[in-house]
Amino acid sequence: MTETRTSRPRQRFQSFDDPSHRKGAERIEALRAALRATGLDGFVVPRADEHQSEYVPADAERLAWLTGFTGSAGTAVILMESAALVVDGRYTLQAPEQVDTGLVTVVPLAETTPEAWIGANLRRDQVLGYDPWLHTPDGLARLERAVTRAGGAVRAVPNLVDAVWAGRPRPPAGPVVVHPDALCGEASADKLGRIRAALAEGGCDALVISDPHNLAWAFNLRGADVGHTPLALGYAILPREGPARLFLVSPNVDPALRAALAPVAEILPRADLDDGLASLAGVRVRLDASTGAVALKEKIEAAGGTADVGKDPITGMKAVKNAAEIAGARAAHVRDGASVVRFLAWLDGAAAAAPSSQARKRTT
C-alpha cells in the first residue's frame, strides 16, 4: 500500500532566483500615473505584508515586482521626480545589481533612514500616500513626523501597487492543519486560558492576534501560505469570555482542525474580518505593537472600541518552551545534523572524483 502524505503542509526550499527586473521603468511609470490620478505626489512601498512578516506570500511581493529587489527587508519611496530604495547592510551589494539605479537610488540604511530621505526630498505641500495595512501605528507616527517636517501631508489609500500590478498572484491557499498536542505539549484550550488571564491582568477585554506565528502557537495549527515557515495567514479575535474567531486567508482548512478547535474557536474566511472588528464596540482591545496594522487600529476605533496598542502576551508565552517543544527542537537538530553530514560526505566524494584543475587545463 502506497502512503499518501496529504495531511501536512509542504515547504519549498529557499531560492535566490531573481524575478525579471527589466520592466522597472514601465512599472514605476505606471505607479506614477496612478499617483497623478489619485492626486498624490508619492507612495511608500515597504517590503512587508499586513503582518509585518519577513517572508511574504507571492501576492505581497510588491517591492520585488516594482523594483526587482528580492531581499527580505527594504523600503522604497517613489516620488514623481525621484525614487529611493533603503536597504540594510545585508543588501548593499545585492540591491544595486537588481535595481535600475538610473531610476531608483539605493540608499544604505546605515546612512539614511526612509524617513530622513523623505524629509530631504519631499517638497512643501506635497502629499505622500501609504497603505494602512502595511504600517504599524508606531511606523506611521515616524512617517508622519518626517512628512510634517518637510511641510507635506500623508494620506491613507488602497495600495497603488496592487492597482497597477497586472497578473498579480492570487492569495495563498495552502492547507491549514492540526499540529498535534503531543508535539505542542499543551492543548489550545489551556493556552487560551493563559492568554485570557494575561488580558485580564492588563485590563483588556479582547485580543486581536495579528502575528501568524502567534496564531499558530495559540491554536496549535500549521499552514503553508508562505515559504520557509509553516504558517497560515490570518487573524484571530480572542475575547476574555466566549469562543475565539479565526479569520484565515486560505480556504483549505482541514476538517480535523475545525473539529479540534470547535470547542474553543470558530474558523471564518479572512473576508469576514471587518465584520468581526465591527463587533468590538465598547471593548478595550489589545493590538500588537509589532505586527498590528494601522488599519486594524482604525477599524477597532471606528466600531467604538478602544485600541490598546502594546505587546501581544502570546509572544512571551511561546518563547518559554515546554518539554515537548524542547524534545522536538532537539530531534530537529539531530535530523538537520544528519542531513549536513550526508551532504558533506557527498561533497567530499564529488570533489575527489572531479578532475583536478591541472587536469582540466591539459584537456582544454
Side-chain angles (χ1 to χ4, degrees):
M1 179 177 179
T2 303
E3 180 183 6
T4 302
R5 298 184 178 183
T6 59
S7 60
R8 303 298 297 167
R10 299 180 65 185
Q11 296 298 317
R12 62 180 174 80
F13 291 104
Q14 186 169 6
S15 169
F16 295 94
D17 292 338
D18 294 343
S20 172
H21 60 276
R22 302 185 187 279
K23 296 184 178 180
E26 66 183 70
R27 291 174 177 178
I28 290 174
E29 178 50 40
L31 178 59
R32 285 174 170 153
L35 290 174
R36 287 190 288 269
T38 315
L40 296 171
D41 301 290
F43 190 68
V44 182
V45 186
R47 203 283 183 176
D49 64 2
E50 58 189 60
H51 308 281
Q52 300 297 308
S53 303
E54 179 178 7
Y55 296 113
V56 302
D59 66 321
E61 289 280 11
R62 299 176 179 92
L63 188 60
W65 179 84
L66 183 68
T67 68
F69 172 66
T70 62
S72 63
T75 301
V77 184
I78 309 299
L79 303 180
M80 297 304 294
E81 298 177 355
S82 60
L85 171 64
V86 182
V87 296
D88 63 37
R90 293 172 293 173
Y91 301 117
T92 52
L93 297 179
Q94 175 183 333
E97 292 182 355
Q98 293 186 306
V99 172
D100 184 343
T101 54
L103 293 171
V104 180
T105 301
V106 176
V107 179
L109 181 60
E111 299 176 7
T112 305
T113 64
E115 293 81 13
W117 190 90
I118 290 168
N121 289 273
L122 191 72
R123 298 198 299 271
R124 180 169 295 278
D125 297 326
Q126 289 191 322
V127 181
L128 185 67
Y130 72 95
D131 180 348
W133 282 104
L134 303 185
H135 298 261
T136 64
D138 284 349
L140 177 60
R142 292 192 298 271
L143 182 63
E144 288 176 329
R145 287 194 294 269
V147 172
T148 298
R149 285 194 296 269
V154 297
R155 184 195 303 169
V157 294
N159 200 291
L160 296 182
V161 174
D162 296 352
V164 300
W165 186 349
R168 182 184 174 210
R170 296 178 63 83
V176 187
V177 301
V178 175
H179 193 52
D181 286 355
L183 299 179
C184 300
E186 185 178 9
S188 181
D190 296 330
K191 292 179 179 180
L192 298 182
R194 289 204 283 140
I195 299 165
R196 288 184 168 112
L199 291 176
E201 185 177 346
C204 292
D205 306 302
L207 168 68
V208 170
I209 304 174
S210 51
D211 185 342
H213 302 82
N214 291 3
L215 195 74
W217 182 87
F219 294 97
N220 291 348
L221 59 82
R222 296 295 185 266
D225 287 347
V226 293
H228 324 307
T229 45
L231 298 178
L233 297 180
Y235 299 88
I237 298 177
L238 175 63
R240 276 171 51 182
E241 297 182 2
R245 286 170 289 173
L246 275 69
F247 305 90
L248 299 180
V249 171
S250 174
N252 189 6
V253 179
D254 191 320
L257 176 64
R258 291 188 186 274
L261 291 182
V264 296
E266 180 182 10
I267 299 178
L268 301 164
R270 165 65 177 80
D272 289 352
L273 177 62
D274 281 2
D275 291 339
L277 297 171
S279 69
L280 298 176
V283 176
R284 186 172 190 84
V285 184
R286 172 56 57 91
L287 182 65
D288 185 30
S290 299
T291 64
V294 170
L296 292 172
K297 179 176 183 292
E298 293 175 344
K299 289 177 182 294
I300 291 168
E301 293 172 344
T306 300
D308 180 1
V309 180
K311 183 177 289 186
D312 182 340
I314 297 172
T315 302
M317 293 178 185
K318 79 175 193 293
V320 180
K321 306 303 181 185
N322 59 43
E325 291 170 325
I326 292 171
R330 288 173 173 163
H333 278 80
V334 170
R335 292 194 300 271
D336 185 56
S339 296
V340 172
V341 169
R342 283 195 295 269
F343 167 73
L344 293 176
W346 169 85
L347 184 62
D348 283 347
S356 67
S357 59
Q358 290 300 320
R360 284 196 298 271
K361 289 179 180 177
R362 286 194 297 269
T363 59
T364 57

